[in-house]
Amino acid sequence: MFKCKTVWNKLAPLARASSTLCLQNARKSALRHGRRLEMVQKAQMSSGPAGGGGENTLYYVLIGATCLGAGVYAYRTVSEDKDRYNERMTEIVSRPKQGPQAAEAVAEVVAESKEDAAPLESIPEPSSEPVKSEPVAEEPTLTEADVESTESEPIAEAPVTKPIVEEPVTEPTVQASIPEPTVESPIREPVVEASVIEPVAEAPAVTQNEEPLAPVVESETEPTAVIIAEHVPEASSVSESAAVPKAAPAAEPVEPTAAPSDVPEHAPYLLIGGGTASFAAARSIRARDPGARVLIVTEESDLPYMRPPLSKELWFSDDPKAIETLHFKQWNGKERSIYFQPPSFYVSPADLAKVENGGVAVLTGRKVVHMDVRGNKVKLSDGAEISYEKCLIATGGVPRNLQVIERAGEEVMKRTTLFRKIEDFRSLEKISGEVKSIIIIGGGFLGSELACALGRRSTDVGLEVIQMFPEKGNMGKVLPEYLSNWTTEKVRKEGVSVITDAVVKNVTYKNDKLEIKLKDGRLFKTDHIVAAVGLEPSVDLAKSAGLEVDSDFGGYRVNAELQACSNIWVAGDAACFYDIKLGRRRVEHHDHAVVSGRLAGENMTGASKPYWHQSMFWSDLGPDVGYEAIGIVDSSLPTVGVFAKATAKDTPKAATEQSGTGIRSESETEAVAGALKAKTTATPPPIQQKEDYGKGVIFYLRDQVVVGIVLWNVFNRMPIARKIIKDGEQHADLNEVAKLFNIHED
């Protein structure tokens, strides 16, 4: 055992060295041989065994046989088609009621076609010289002498004339329309159709269609049909007594070309509604995006206009043309149009996508009836569709009516005006000059303004004006009771019979008069009714668009940025927004439409601004009495009034002269509030609490905090009132707060 281990220890190093040397030699040999390029015998393609001489012969034989078979098949097909064609022409000749000339012509065509065996390459080009031919016969024959058939026979389309026989450029394919299937030649020949039009007199020259169609042939004898190469229509029966022009329905009717539509297919900014909010939004969009393309869709037939003058200045105009021109004089005497901009300001809807720098287009007389929020498109009342990128809903509202009037019948409805639009103003103005009595139902802003306007002209035209409402005085829901009673007396001085505590029970039409019966039994007769009982927000698109409608205030619920959902904003009367100071609200006044529309337009262009503005509203009972209000003005809230003696400057007319505009909300700015301060040098006289409320400030309180302010014959101080409400502070002495409005100045 010891000897074996000793031998192994001596031989093991030698074995390891030998194996290592062999391994290194093997690797070197492999590397050297890997770099050598081995010569491989060139591969050869062959269809036969290797080394044979005819490996491609079979391939050529197969190709030749295929070509020969295709040629034989084509020859047989052409021959059979020619035979079928001749048989068909013979059948046509043998049919009854064929004119002799037509039969002879068909027979000649059959004879010529049998003799014609020349290839297509040898056929000469058709001549452009005018040729003359006998009229072409069809079934039924469309001439005055031969239209007698009462059967529904197919119209044989045989555009066979002598010029075609002499120069057979192509062989016409005859297609039977009713009993037999259409037979077409495999050779590419034009399909000829007999398209019948009204007979024409002799043509001065022969014309040829630019397309590879059969030429139009001039006829010297009788009027014939013009050959038109188009789709072959189905045959139709011809009446026994039909004249030649009445046979036209047998031919394919020409589709009328649709008139170009003025509705663009796409609008980057789509504004639904043509009121103040839409126009303010359009102006704001263009201010931030000068190249924006804005489309306004309105149900009315007029361009965007302001509504306040319809119940104010227009009624006091001395110009008889103001009804048509809608130009009015403001209280300061300056003339102005009711429209925001003239027609030249807008671009045509059809050209909206073409104008270089964009613009604002108005599509009038159209109503959006459906909204596809996911597809970003709307459908109009005429079926047209418009896609959009950003959309504003500013549909405003519709005048509310009394249910007793709606149930009264058609005669009562015809004699009732719901005052809202330009046509309502024109209609009521015309009616006021024709009837002898008008009753206005409603004691709010609109009803009181219309009552004063009609009362002023009642003496001149002999018109009786009656205003009735359920409250105890005019604007009883807004003004405190003492001021409402004073306002009622002011309206009566204008020539209006004011009926308070009046609740309408029913309305009937008897003896050409409307009879209004109140719940307390009083009965009034009149010729016409004006219902001014509020506004109902227009939310017709809520269902199709899936938008939320507020159950308490009505209108579309929007967030602080006036956004209802992605890419859709709401402004104006239809928006129910959240006021950070006063809670959720919905406002129906001009200033709110201006401010909300402007803000919505800015947010549509990416501003992302919240709606913090406290909008105001105003009402004028003629040029001598008016007021401005802001916030929550509700007569059910506690109020504090501070009044002073009015001067000649404390009237709407004087305020208009100072500001330069009767639309007072357009002239106000937030910056004025910080600049105005109360004058402490003037010692205020004692507060007047008498019947004469010349001018003053009424504060509306909730939890000892001012939430609403009415400026009675105090003008151009609205920024101060807005700042007081915005601060939301409790005031121990509101007399000191009233000094901020400088009501004690002379």
Side-chain angles (χ1 to χ4, degrees):
M1 185 68 183
F2 179 77
K3 291 182 179 180
C4 292
K5 185 176 181 180
T6 302
V7 173
W8 172 253
N9 290 335
K10 291 182 179 181
L11 295 179
L14 297 177
R16 292 193 192 99
S18 177
S19 61
T20 301
L21 181 61
C22 293
L23 181 59
Q24 290 176 354
N25 293 336
R27 287 178 179 176
K28 292 179 181 180
S29 177
L31 291 174
R32 285 195 301 269
H33 288 287
R35 293 190 183 97
R36 295 178 181 176
L37 297 177
E38 297 182 358
M39 300 300 295
V40 182
Q41 184 179 1
K42 184 178 180 180
Q44 297 181 354
M45 295 178 60
S46 176
S47 58
E55 54 271 3
N56 292 325
T57 303
L58 181 59
Y59 174 76
Y60 293 135
V61 171
L62 292 176
I63 295 298
T66 302
C67 295
L68 180 61
V72 173
Y73 175 78
Y75 175 78
R76 290 183 177 179
T77 302
V78 172
S79 301
E80 291 175 0
D81 287 345
K82 186 179 296 294
D83 294 339
R84 284 195 297 270
Y85 169 75
N86 293 334
E87 292 175 1
R88 180 61 178 161
M89 298 302 294
T90 305
E91 179 185 355
I92 294 175
V93 174
S94 62
R95 288 182 179 178
K97 298 188 179 183
Q98 283 281 352
Q101 296 178 350
E104 181 180 356
V106 173
E108 292 180 1
V109 171
V110 174
E112 291 289 341
S113 62
K114 291 182 178 180
E115 297 176 359
D116 186 15
L120 291 176
E121 292 78 0
S122 62
I123 297 177
E125 294 292 329
S127 174
S128 60
E129 297 180 358
V131 290
K132 300 179 181 179
S133 168
E134 295 295 332
V136 180
E138 297 178 347
E139 288 208 356
T141 307
L142 300 178
T143 60
E144 296 182 356
D146 298 328
V147 179
E148 298 176 353
S149 175
T150 59
E151 301 177 0
S152 298
E153 297 180 357
I155 299 177
E157 302 178 6
V160 181
T161 57
K162 288 185 179 181
I164 298 179
V165 173
E166 295 174 359
E167 297 174 346
V169 179
T170 56
E171 296 182 0
T173 302
V174 179
Q175 300 180 353
S177 55
I178 295 181
E180 299 180 7
T182 303
V183 180
E184 297 181 357
S185 173
I187 303 177
R188 297 184 178 178
E189 301 173 353
V191 180
V192 180
E193 167 197 20
S195 176
V196 182
I197 61 172
E198 295 185 2
V200 294
E202 276 189 34
V206 178
T207 59
Q208 221 175 12
N209 200 329
E210 296 179 357
E211 300 180 1
L213 309 176
V216 179
V217 183
E218 178 187 21
S219 174
E220 285 186 343
T221 57
E222 297 179 0
T224 184
V226 179
I227 309 297
I228 302 177
E230 289 184 6
H231 175 70
V232 180
E234 295 183 357
S236 60
S237 60
V238 181
S239 175
E240 189 171 349
S241 60
V244 174
K246 294 183 180 180
E252 179 184 5
V254 179
E255 296 182 359
T257 303
S261 175
D262 59 342
V263 181
E265 297 181 355
H266 178 74
Y269 296 96
L270 177 64
L271 313 183
I272 304 176
T276 302
S278 281
F279 181 79
R283 188 163 50 186
S284 178
I285 292 172
R286 292 279 296 171
R288 289 177 55 88
D289 184 4
R293 306 178 192 276
V294 184
L295 176 64
I296 299 176
V297 180
T298 173
E299 189 177 358
E300 299 186 42
S301 58
D302 298 284
L303 296 174
Y305 61 92
M306 59 188 79
R307 300 189 190 275
L310 295 178
S311 59
K312 296 180 177 68
E313 293 92 341
L314 277 172
W315 289 96
F316 297 90
S317 177
D318 298 330
D319 186 6
K321 297 181 180 179
I323 303 173
E324 298 299 328
T325 61
L326 298 176
H327 283 73
F328 62 94
K329 287 186 178 181
Q330 302 178 116
W331 302 137
N332 60 359
K334 294 182 180 180
E335 187 171 310
R336 183 174 182 177
S337 173
I338 195 174
Y339 295 101
F340 290 111
Q341 292 291 344
S344 58
F345 171 81
Y346 305 95
V347 300
S348 172
D351 299 334
L352 182 61
K354 306 175 185 177
V355 290
E356 182 178 357
N357 297 321
V360 180
V362 181
L363 195 61
T364 59
R366 312 293 175 88
K367 181 180 180 181
V368 177
V369 296
H370 186 272
M371 286 193 70
D372 183 2
V373 177
R374 294 184 178 180
N376 283 359
K377 61 183 179 181
V378 299
K379 184 177 182 181
L380 306 184
S381 53
D382 59 358
E385 291 187 352
I386 304 175
S387 60
Y388 63 86
E389 297 175 13
K390 305 290 179 64
C391 179
L392 172 69
I393 300 177
T395 50
V398 294
R400 189 182 291 116
N401 197 1
L402 295 175
Q403 293 184 359
V404 293
I405 296 179
E406 294 177 346
R407 295 194 301 260
E410 183 180 356
E411 292 297 331
V412 175
M413 288 297 299
K414 288 195 309 184
R415 292 165 176 81
T416 301
T417 296
L418 302 178
F419 199 88
R420 177 68 174 173
K421 305 176 182 178
I422 289 179
E423 54 261 32
D424 300 330
F425 161 73
R426 288 172 172 166
S427 174
L428 184 59
E429 202 281 336
K430 180 180 179 182
I431 291 172
S432 65
E434 298 174 348
V435 301
K436 296 183 178 181
S437 175
I438 293 179
I439 289 183
I440 301 172
I441 302 177
F445 310 110
L446 179 61
S448 300
E449 290 172 0
L450 290 177
C452 290
L454 293 174
R456 283 217 168 186
R457 63 169 55 186
S458 60
T459 305
D460 299 334
V461 298
L463 177 67
E464 180 188 18
V465 181
I466 301 174
Q467 183 186 14
M468 58 177 58
F469 42 81
E471 295 81 25
K472 294 182 179 181
N474 286 78
M475 292 175 285
K477 294 182 178 181
V478 176
L479 301 177
E481 185 177 354
Y482 62 89
L483 195 56
S484 174
N485 294 335
W486 186 91
T487 305
T488 302
E489 294 301 321
K490 172 65 178 176
V491 175
R492 283 173 176 159
K493 291 179 181 179
E494 297 290 341
V496 181
S497 299
V498 181
I499 310 299
T500 62
D501 300 315
V503 179
V504 179
K505 183 179 181 179
N506 59 59
V507 182
T508 57
Y509 177 72
K510 294 181 181 179
N511 301 324
D512 295 334
K513 288 286 185 178
L514 295 174
E515 295 185 357
I516 301 176
K517 187 176 181 179
L518 305 182
K519 282 191 175 182
D520 57 7
R522 289 179 289 179
L523 183 66
F524 297 89
K525 295 183 179 181
T526 185
D527 297 320
H528 197 80
I529 295 176
V530 178
V533 292
L535 192 72
E536 195 72 26
S538 179
V539 291
D540 297 337
L541 298 175
K543 185 176 181 180
S544 61
L547 303 179
E548 182 182 3
V549 177
D550 189 86
S551 58
D552 297 328
F553 301 97
Y556 301 96
R557 289 178 67 96
V558 295
N559 59 14
E561 297 177 4
L562 301 180
Q563 190 171 16
C565 66
S566 179
N567 298 332
I568 296 181
W569 288 258
V570 186
D573 301 342
C576 182
F577 62 98
Y578 183 78
D579 192 316
I580 59 176
K581 291 294 183 181
L582 306 177
R584 187 159 290 278
R585 304 174 61 201
R586 191 179 66 83
V587 182
E588 300 174 355
H589 298 294
H590 177 83
D591 183 61
H592 168 69
V594 173
V595 176
S596 63
R598 182 170 61 225
L599 180 65
E602 292 178 358
N603 290 338
M604 292 173 73
T605 56
S608 300
K609 295 181 179 180
Y611 186 63
W612 288 348
H613 180 80
Q614 286 293 334
S615 61
M616 57 88 66
F617 63 92
W618 80 99
S619 179
D620 296 336
L621 303 179
D624 300 327
V625 178
Y627 65 90
E628 298 175 354
I630 189 173
I632 299 177
V633 286
D634 189 346
S635 60
S636 63
L637 295 175
T639 60
V640 175
V642 180
F643 292 89
K645 186 178 180 179
T647 63
K649 298 185 298 182
D650 301 319
T651 61
K653 181 177 180 180
T656 305
E657 291 176 351
Q658 181 179 355
S659 64
T661 175
I663 311 298
R664 294 189 288 272
S665 64
E666 295 179 353
S667 62
E668 63 177 9
T669 57
E670 193 70 31
V672 181
L676 292 176
K677 295 182 180 180
K679 294 184 178 180
T680 58
T681 57
T683 303
I687 299 176
Q688 302 290 331
Q689 296 293 350
K690 299 181 181 180
E691 290 294 327
D692 186 15
Y693 301 102
K695 65 178 179 179
V697 181
I698 301 97
F699 300 96
Y700 293 76
L701 306 177
R702 187 170 63 187
D703 299 331
Q704 303 300 319
V705 176
V706 177
V707 295
I709 298 176
V710 169
L711 303 181
W712 185 262
N713 274 342
V714 176
F715 306 100
N716 301 323
R717 296 292 187 272
M718 189 53 62
I720 303 175
R722 180 174 288 110
K723 188 175 187 303
I724 293 173
I725 295 179
K726 184 178 180 180
D727 292 342
E729 299 177 355
Q730 292 185 359
H731 300 277
D733 188 0
L734 291 176
N735 288 323
E736 295 296 324
V737 179
K739 294 179 182 179
L740 296 172
F741 298 93
N742 301 325
I743 63 174
H744 301 293
E745 284 185 338
D746 292 335

